[in-house]
Amino acid sequence: MKISLNWLKDYIDLNLDTEKISEILTTIGLEVEGIEQFESVKGGLKGVVVGHILECGKHPNADKLSLTKVDIGDQELQIVCGAPNVAVGQKVLVATIGTTLYDGEGNPWKIKKGKIRGEESQGMICAEDELGLGSSHDGIMVLPDDTNVGTLASEVCNVETDVIYEIGLTPNRSDATSHIGVAQDVAAYLQINHNFDGQINLPDLDTFNVDNKTNLFEVVVEDAKRCPRYSGISISDVTIAESPEWLRNKLKAIGIRPISNIVDITNYILHEYGQPLHAFDADKVADNKIVVKCLEEGSKFTSLDEKERTLHSEDLMICDGDGQGMCIAGVFGGLDSGVTSTTKNIFLESAHFEAKSIRKSSTRHLLRTDAAKVFEKGSDPNITVQALKRAAILIKELAGGTITSSIVDVYPDEILQKEIQLRYSKVNDLIGNEISVEEIHQILSALGMGTAPVDENSIKVKVPTNKADVIREVDLIEEILRIYGFNKISTPDKVLSTISYSHFPDSNLVKSRIRTFLSANGFNEMLNLSLIESGQYEKAVSFNQDQFVKINNTSNIHLDIMRPEMLLSGLNTMAYNINRQQNNLKLYEFGKDYLRNSEGINEKQKLSLFISGSDVEAHWNSQSQKVNFFSIKSFVANLLERLNVKGYQVSETEDSRFLFGLKYHRGPKALVDFGKVNAEILKERDVKQDVFYAEFDFEFLLNSISTTNYVSEISKFPSMRRDLALVIDDTVAFEDIVKIAKKTDKKILKKIGLFDLFKDEEKLGKDKKSYAVSFVFENNEKTLNDKEVDKLMKKMQNQFESELNAQIRK
């Protein structure tokens, strides 16, 4: 939102520098995101001065050019001029050498010393379009004879300058959507902190007068919930024309393009009062009747931008006597009912609409207009008539015409000021400073809030209706703090803290440990939307449509469901990075998936890991290799080890999202599924490299963490190692070997490792492989001898041969 300093000064006397005002605006909760200078003429006519033509003769080498001598006060210049109206004695505007002017599209060009048809030209005598003062190029601008030579053009042409503050207006500041609202806030701050008298110069409405009642309108509000108040007035015999310069400059300063006097006045009132207005061509309103209602679902409406829009059954419409929609209420006008250059009679609307309704219609039709932004924050229901009077006075002044009806005001249930009880002790507790009762009252009074005593410790505060978000005691305290001043809050000399205790494993602590572990292993955390397109689940990953948690997302209709699992949203991020040549990826995410079941909506916390590409970046001193299934398996195993999760079973995953993979589980409940992502899923996302994925059930993982750690003394006796080469069927997993070995001995067998895998159909046979397995034995009570270890090894060999059909390679 843009705030004009000149505009603010219309209501409040501000003798402060630009930076001080910026500081005040930020202090009262209107953060200044930028400051820019505005000039009503681009470039501010810098380098352009008043000149006096002393001589004017025919150019010796061109019939249509004149050779002039111009006095600009401190020097005389020879200038070649092609204007047909140039003559001796004229006072003109001269752009001197080095001056930057702007063409009709705003592109800069510089006046340079040069020769035109052989004659030197030391500047340019300007027409109004060349200076941005008009559109005429019929000839040079001729000034009154009494204009002083050498005077700056900016003084002669009254170039207006302004300071514009770009305000980051938060959704809760419905009171600051206008220049009057901001002025009132600034005045309150100055009154409390700089002894300002608090006087605001509001527009004079006493001159409003109804001329006659020859063009009356009937207003019917059928939906009073969505339209609590509707006011209007008719004005006849207006003349549509360009707005005066002062009004055009006001609007241009805050980035609004002037259109015509009527439209410009409605925009001016919007930014002055924060009250959107809409002007209808009264002759196009059937039966002189306004009906406020919702039309049937699917009704068609052609808006001002010439687009045909399909209406929702909850879109509030302004209709005529025939029930035809003329305007999406509070959002956007219609093509066939608006003001045009031929309009003579208007009906002017000033209404208060339900914020939620306007927000939905605005986002539904992607029409984020200034009016909609005001209404959705919560407009003031009690200024509609004031705004109408102000607009009517300006229209009579700038467009002629007569007011031909009384103000129609449909306001069945008056919206009163909210009353909130405020405790003095609560103010001081929350703010942290001792603010006197007298100062609290002064601040509330400066903010226009009435007070009444409840008891010696509290008061009732009446909140103005322009502060839609002030509904609780804490909101009132925030208002007091804004005006009191954040910079007055003292820094404490001690810190008070409360010791908190939570049972282990604490969710946040575990997440922190996981983040630390994964980040240390080269992972980056990602945060994806919980919304996703349902169409992404039509092919590779199939879900029953009834399981989806569907949402009505008006801001992006494509993101229509909550994600039912974590893989696809993460793959979208992987694809985004890979498409930008980031091929070596390790990503993780904490998030939720959402599925509907017979009991309602089931939300599950998940942890997902993604790896793809090479394990390390290519380097002359190290060799990189592609990540594989065992890479993701090692991360999963190490993470479980780090969290002290033990005692789980291992099975092949049945999840169709994986080409192959494993599942670590306890009974039927999975801790984690991991493996290589199905190629069909990758193809759908145009991912041309392998991706390995792990998905943890975080809540089950949390409950599986062992709270007991076992510590044992390091053995004083040496260990012994034996290696065994087993030829086994391709379907046998290493885990099968581990299970048999541990079943054979649980006392001195300490470690089992796989250090080689060999496949060769010619040497081993079809569907065979060879595992080289190491076994480490250790006895904490004595030194082992070969006889003991060999006996165990023989026993294990027999078990491998009988249970796995293994052959021992000699």
Side-chain angles (χ1 to χ4, degrees):
M1 175 181 170
K2 294 181 184 291
I3 294 295
S4 157
L5 179 56
N6 288 349
W7 209 335
L8 280 182
K9 288 180 177 179
D10 290 344
Y11 315 114
I12 181 174
D13 294 328
L14 286 173
N15 297 316
L16 301 169
D17 62 45
T18 300
E19 291 301 325
K20 183 61 179 177
I21 294 172
S22 174
E23 179 187 320
I24 292 172
L25 290 172
T26 299
T27 297
I28 60 177
L30 302 174
E31 184 176 355
V32 176
E33 297 179 341
I35 303 174
E36 60 187 51
Q37 300 294 320
F38 167 77
E39 294 169 325
S40 57
V41 177
K42 192 163 186 179
L45 301 182
K46 295 180 181 67
V48 182
V49 297
V50 176
H52 181 210
I53 300 178
L54 303 176
E55 299 176 8
C56 181
K58 191 174 180 180
H59 191 290
N61 302 319
D63 292 340
K64 293 184 178 181
L65 296 179
S66 300
L67 193 60
T68 68
K69 182 174 286 186
V70 184
D71 177 16
I72 61 169
D74 59 351
Q75 58 181 314
E76 293 181 2
L77 305 175
Q78 177 175 292
I79 298 175
V80 176
C81 181
N85 64 330
V86 64
V88 172
Q90 291 173 332
K91 297 289 180 67
V92 293
L93 291 177
V94 178
T96 56
I97 292 170
T99 298
T100 299
L101 300 179
Y102 298 84
D103 62 21
E105 297 180 353
N107 299 312
W109 57 286
K110 186 174 284 190
I111 302 295
K112 298 178 180 178
K113 183 177 180 179
K115 289 187 177 182
I116 301 177
R117 295 292 182 92
E119 294 293 334
E120 188 176 86
S121 185
Q122 299 170 322
M124 185 173 77
I125 305 173
C126 301
E128 64 176 38
D129 67 326
E130 293 166 331
L131 297 174
L133 297 171
S135 57
S136 173
H137 196 68
D138 295 337
I140 59 173
M141 288 182 66
V142 180
L143 305 175
D145 291 340
D146 60 353
T147 309
N148 293 326
V149 173
T151 304
L152 296 177
S154 58
E155 297 177 12
V156 175
C157 301
N158 296 318
V159 174
E160 184 176 334
T161 60
D162 200 353
V163 176
I164 307 301
Y165 298 94
E166 183 71 43
I167 302 296
L169 193 62
T170 51
N172 65 318
R173 294 306 306 275
S174 60
D175 58 327
T177 56
S178 66
H179 280 79
I180 287 178
V182 173
Q184 288 171 332
D185 241 20
V186 171
Y189 178 85
L190 294 176
Q191 185 178 345
I192 298 302
N193 296 283
H194 294 276
N195 298 318
F196 179 68
D197 62 11
Q199 185 65 39
I200 296 289
N201 304 315
L202 294 175
D204 182 10
L205 305 179
D206 292 339
T207 57
F208 173 81
N209 181 57
V210 177
D211 297 305
N212 57 64
K213 298 181 180 180
T214 58
N215 195 20
L216 301 180
F217 273 72
E218 179 187 0
V219 174
V220 177
V221 178
E222 294 187 5
D223 194 336
K225 180 177 181 294
R226 291 186 174 89
C227 179
R229 187 176 192 181
Y230 191 96
S231 309
I233 194 170
S234 70
I235 305 173
S236 303
D237 298 320
V238 298
T239 301
I240 307 299
E242 185 181 55
S243 297
E245 186 177 20
W246 70 267
L247 178 54
R248 296 199 310 274
N249 286 340
K250 290 279 191 190
L251 297 178
K252 287 193 292 185
I254 57 172
I256 296 176
R257 180 175 63 88
I259 297 173
S260 68
N261 46 9
I262 300 298
V263 176
D264 293 349
I265 288 169
T266 62
N267 282 327
Y268 179 78
I269 299 301
L270 168 62
H271 291 275
E272 181 177 51
Y273 276 91
Q275 174 59 51
L277 304 178
H278 189 78
F280 297 98
D281 188 323
D283 298 326
K284 297 176 182 177
V285 181
D287 300 332
N288 274 30
K289 185 176 182 179
I290 299 290
V291 182
V292 184
K293 63 179 182 178
C294 295
L295 296 178
E296 290 183 2
E297 178 82 25
S299 298
K300 302 298 181 182
F301 171 71
T302 304
S303 51
L304 198 57
D305 55 1
E306 301 183 3
K307 291 183 179 179
E308 185 179 73
R309 301 180 183 274
T310 302
L311 299 178
H312 190 276
S313 60
E314 294 183 354
D315 287 332
L316 188 66
M317 299 294 294
I318 310 300
C319 305
D320 62 14
D322 292 337
Q324 297 298 312
M326 300 188 296
C327 174
I328 302 177
V331 178
F332 208 47
L335 181 64
D336 300 323
S337 60
V339 173
T340 67
S341 59
T342 60
T343 297
K344 297 301 295 179
N345 307 307
I346 65 170
F347 178 79
L348 195 61
E349 165 194 288
S350 179
H352 172 67
F353 299 113
E354 181 191 39
K356 181 170 66 174
S357 171
I358 299 302
R359 168 72 176 171
K360 287 182 176 180
S361 291
S362 171
T363 53
R364 188 180 292 128
H365 296 287
L366 302 179
L367 292 169
R368 307 296 294 136
T369 59
D370 287 345
K373 291 175 184 177
V374 169
F375 280 127
E376 67 188 26
K377 284 182 173 66
S379 66
D380 187 351
N382 293 316
I383 62 167
T384 60
V385 171
Q386 295 175 48
L388 271 184
K389 289 180 178 180
R390 172 69 163 154
I393 292 169
L394 286 173
I395 289 172
K396 287 185 68 174
E397 177 186 335
L398 305 181
T402 54
I403 299 175
T404 50
S405 78
S406 298
I407 291 177
V408 183
D409 189 20
V410 180
Y411 196 11
D413 298 309
E414 183 180 358
I415 298 173
L416 302 174
Q417 293 183 341
K418 295 182 288 291
E419 290 190 353
I420 302 173
Q421 184 169 343
L422 179 69
R423 295 164 291 171
Y424 301 128
S425 60
K426 191 68 173 177
V427 175
N428 294 326
D429 285 346
L430 280 183
I431 290 178
N433 270 24
E434 289 292 325
I435 304 177
S436 68
V437 171
E438 181 183 3
E439 191 167 7
I440 291 173
H441 282 247
Q442 289 174 349
I443 292 172
L444 293 173
S445 175
L447 286 167
M449 298 183 183
T451 59
V454 174
D455 52 42
E456 62 180 13
N457 298 315
S458 63
I459 53 175
K460 281 278 187 185
V461 180
K462 285 190 173 183
V463 180
T465 50
N466 68 334
K467 295 181 181 292
D469 201 61
V470 180
I471 56 177
R472 304 166 298 169
E473 183 182 36
V474 68
D475 301 325
L476 268 180
I477 296 171
E478 182 184 354
E479 292 291 293
I480 292 170
L481 179 57
R482 287 194 305 104
I483 303 305
Y484 175 74
F486 289 94
N487 55 347
K488 288 184 180 179
I489 305 301
S490 57
T491 302
D493 55 7
K494 59 182 178 180
V495 176
L496 302 177
S497 64
T498 302
I499 297 175
S500 60
Y501 173 78
S502 60
H503 291 284
F504 184 83
D506 175 71
S507 174
N508 291 326
L509 177 61
V510 171
K511 284 183 179 180
S512 178
R513 287 183 178 178
I514 292 172
R515 286 187 172 102
T516 300
F517 170 79
L518 292 175
S519 297
N521 280 277
F523 280 79
N524 288 303
E525 185 172 7
M526 59 179 169
L527 183 62
N528 293 306
L529 284 176
S530 295
L531 308 176
I532 199 167
E533 296 180 49
S534 59
Q536 294 196 29
Y537 290 93
E538 290 177 356
K539 295 182 180 179
V541 180
S542 59
F543 276 89
N544 187 332
Q545 294 279 331
D546 295 335
Q547 293 180 284
F548 288 155
V549 179
K550 298 179 181 179
I551 60 169
N552 181 22
N553 187 357
T554 55
S555 60
N556 188 335
I557 59 174
H558 301 291
L559 301 176
D560 57 343
I561 62 170
M562 306 295 287
R563 61 181 175 189
E565 51 83 55
M566 300 278 286
L567 174 64
L568 292 198
S569 60
L571 278 181
N572 292 338
T573 300
M574 295 286 284
Y576 181 90
N577 281 275
I578 291 169
N579 290 338
R580 285 155 182 80
Q581 299 180 343
Q582 302 300 310
N583 298 314
N584 303 328
L585 295 171
K586 292 179 183 176
L587 301 176
Y588 72 96
E589 179 184 16
F590 289 100
K592 289 184 178 182
D593 59 25
Y594 306 82
L595 283 173
R596 189 181 297 278
N597 56 32
S598 58
E599 298 177 358
I601 297 172
N602 184 31
E603 299 180 23
K604 277 192 173 182
Q605 286 196 64
K606 297 291 181 70
L607 166 64
S608 60
L609 311 184
F610 293 81
I611 61 173
S612 186
S614 299
D615 55 354
V616 293
E617 295 290 340
H619 190 265
W620 70 269
N621 198 30
S622 62
Q623 188 174 0
S624 65
Q625 61 180 19
K626 296 291 185 183
V627 295
N628 52 39
F629 170 75
F630 298 102
S631 304
I632 192 72
K633 183 183 179 184
S634 68
F635 287 126
V636 169
N638 289 336
L639 179 57
L640 293 175
E641 180 72 22
R642 177 71 180 84
L643 295 176
N644 200 24
V645 176
K646 296 180 173 65
Y648 48 81
Q649 300 160 282
V650 180
S651 303
E652 288 189 23
T653 182
E654 298 173 354
D655 194 328
S656 62
R657 297 175 299 171
F658 297 104
L659 185 64
F660 58 82
L662 293 178
K663 175 172 70 173
Y664 291 169
H665 59 101
R666 286 181 174 175
K669 199 163 185 179
L671 267 171
V672 57
D673 286 273
F674 61 92
K676 183 178 181 180
V677 177
N678 195 309
E680 288 298 314
I681 298 176
L682 299 179
K683 185 178 179 182
E684 285 292 318
R685 273 139 203 88
D686 198 30
V687 175
K688 297 182 175 65
Q689 60 189 58
D690 291 341
V691 176
F692 297 88
Y693 174 64
E695 184 174 290
F696 292 83
D697 183 331
F698 182 73
E699 292 173 3
F700 188 39
L701 177 68
L702 199 63
N703 294 328
S704 301
I705 295 174
S706 174
T707 57
T708 304
N709 288 304
Y710 294 95
V711 179
S712 60
E713 183 183 2
I714 297 174
S715 177
K716 293 181 282 187
F717 302 99
S719 61
M720 296 182 70
R721 169 173 165 160
R722 293 287 189 272
D723 295 339
L724 200 61
L726 300 171
V727 178
I728 51 179
D729 291 338
D730 213 13
T731 56
V732 176
F734 175 65
E735 290 295 328
D736 298 327
I737 297 172
V738 173
K739 286 179 184 177
I740 293 172
K742 287 185 175 180
K743 187 170 62 174
T744 304
D745 180 81
K746 296 180 180 178
K747 185 178 180 182
I748 65 172
L749 179 59
K750 300 299 183 182
K751 190 183 296 184
I752 307 164
L754 176 66
F755 63 90
D756 191 31
L757 169 63
F758 175 70
K759 286 186 177 183
D760 188 324
E761 191 169 320
E762 290 184 4
K763 295 181 179 180
L764 301 179
K766 187 177 181 182
D767 296 329
K768 294 289 184 178
K769 62 185 175 184
S770 173
Y771 274 175
V773 183
S774 63
F775 302 89
V776 177
F777 300 90
E778 186 180 89
N779 192 324
N780 293 331
E781 298 175 354
K782 65 174 185 174
T783 300
L784 290 171
N785 57 54
D786 290 337
K787 188 175 180 181
E788 291 177 275
V789 174
D790 291 343
K791 183 178 178 182
L792 277 176
M793 288 298 298
K794 183 63 177 176
K795 187 176 180 181
M796 278 193 286
Q797 289 178 36
N798 293 334
Q799 292 295 109
F800 293 148
E801 289 172 344
S802 62
E803 295 187 30
L804 301 179
N805 195 28
Q807 297 176 12
I808 310 301
R809 293 180 68 194
K810 304 294 184 180

